[in-house]
Amino acid sequence: MDKPLKNPPPYAIASVDHALRAAAMLQLEGGLTVSQIAERLGVARSTAHRLLAMLVYRDFAVQDEDRVYRAGPVLELAAHSQSQVSRLRAVALPHLQRLVELVEETANLVIRTGDSVRFIASVECARVLRVGSREGMVFPAHRTTGGLLLLADLPEKELAEVYAQERYRDRPAERPDLAGLRRELARVRRGGFAVNRERSERGLVAVGVPVRGADGRVVAGLSVSLPSVRYEKGRLGELVAALGGVARGIEVELV
């Protein structure tokens, strides 16, 4: 049976429709200028500029040095394929819940897109003082535990491409010190885990381990986040062991 035709909602909101259409254009067609978006939507250039500014703010779009807008980290999840991300999240959620029960701290799963990571799953612990859910949020990869784990798995050539100077021409302050980052990634590879002490957010500590796919490559970063006032260095071994056991459980189901 043919699917019924789609009808617009009775109380359509034009601004929302325009924003969604603009996001779809960037995802499917690549780079577009403000003028091109305005022409395609049939709106004023100033209106298109405001729509794109909001898409950039919410990480649905990015603007390069030539003032061309492209799909941002949220839309670039498609590079991993929707089915892969959905399956990874579905497999991981019960294991994240188990991790929370084991360590009584908030658990997260992240994937990488370029120089950013996106939290695709988050389970909060029940403690009054806790780190809240980060699900759906996007952070610079080098500032997160999961991001460091994913970057540590990259060949040197690919790491250099991710942080190529020309990619940061319009935002030089955001480019990390590569020499320092390489040293940190080497420590992560040697230890098999990563620790983030207030690097991404003040008052937060996170410990994480990699989750590997069937080919041995790191597909995600698994971490627990806790308030820095509750973190004790002597507990690191316990957290890494719990994380490692849960990561292996996820990996078995991903094969």
Side-chain angles (χ1 to χ4, degrees):
M1 178 184 290
D2 291 335
K3 294 173 68 176
L5 293 174
K6 280 187 177 181
N7 294 314
Y11 302 106
I13 301 174
S15 60
V16 174
D17 183 52
H18 288 152
L20 293 172
R21 288 174 59 198
M25 290 176 200
L26 295 177
Q27 186 179 46
L28 297 173
E29 300 177 31
L32 294 168
T33 64
V34 173
S35 297
Q36 289 171 322
I37 292 287
E39 181 179 357
R40 295 281 296 279
L41 295 177
V43 299
R45 193 175 184 279
S46 58
T47 300
H49 186 270
R50 289 195 296 271
L51 289 171
L52 289 164
M54 183 55 68
L55 291 179
V56 169
Y57 177 69
R58 291 296 182 184
D59 292 308
F60 282 78
V62 294
Q63 185 184 30
D64 63 24
E65 62 271 17
D66 298 321
R67 297 186 177 278
V68 173
Y69 289 85
R70 304 183 187 282
V74 172
L75 297 180
E76 285 184 350
L77 283 176
H80 296 266
S81 97
Q82 185 66 33
S83 61
Q84 289 178 344
V85 174
S86 297
R87 179 168 181 262
L88 177 59
R89 185 178 185 279
V91 166
L93 272 174
H95 294 277
L96 263 65
Q97 186 62 57
R98 174 170 166 262
L99 180 58
V100 171
E101 293 168 359
L102 285 172
V103 301
E104 296 185 286
E105 302 292 356
T106 297
N108 303 290
L109 191 76
V110 306
I111 60 172
R112 182 184 65 86
T113 299
D115 62 355
S116 299
V117 291
R118 182 172 179 81
F119 286 69
I120 64 168
S122 189
V123 177
E124 290 187 29
C125 68
R127 303 175 81 160
V128 175
L129 179 61
R130 63 181 182 271
V131 176
S133 171
R134 296 296 185 266
E135 190 166 305
M137 297 181 72
V138 176
F139 288 89
H142 70 284
R143 291 190 175 277
T144 67
T145 301
L148 291 173
L149 294 161
L150 287 152
L151 292 172
D153 191 56
L154 295 180
E156 175 56 34
K157 182 180 178 182
E158 191 171 346
L159 181 69
E161 290 173 353
V162 169
Y163 292 106
Q165 195 164 0
E166 57 268 23
R167 296 191 58 191
Y168 290 82
R169 202 170 296 159
D170 59 339
R171 49 188 180 114
E174 296 180 21
R175 185 171 181 256
D177 169 54
L178 279 189
L181 180 59
R182 287 188 180 101
R183 288 193 294 271
E184 184 160 18
L185 296 180
R187 288 194 294 270
V188 170
R189 283 190 291 271
R190 286 196 301 270
F193 65 90
V195 180
N196 168 9
R197 296 183 179 89
E198 300 187 317
R199 182 195 297 258
S200 56
E201 296 180 67
R202 184 176 298 175
L204 181 152
V205 174
V207 180
V209 300
V211 176
R212 299 182 183 275
D215 61 357
R217 297 295 304 272
V218 178
V219 295
L222 173 69
S223 65
V224 290
S225 303
L226 59 152
S228 57
V229 294
R230 198 157 60 229
Y231 176 69
E232 298 175 1
K233 194 172 182 180
R235 196 185 174 199
L236 180 60
E238 170 203 339
L239 293 175
V240 171
L243 283 158
V246 171
R248 300 298 86 76
I250 296 173
E251 291 169 352
V252 168
E253 288 194 47
L254 286 177
V255 174

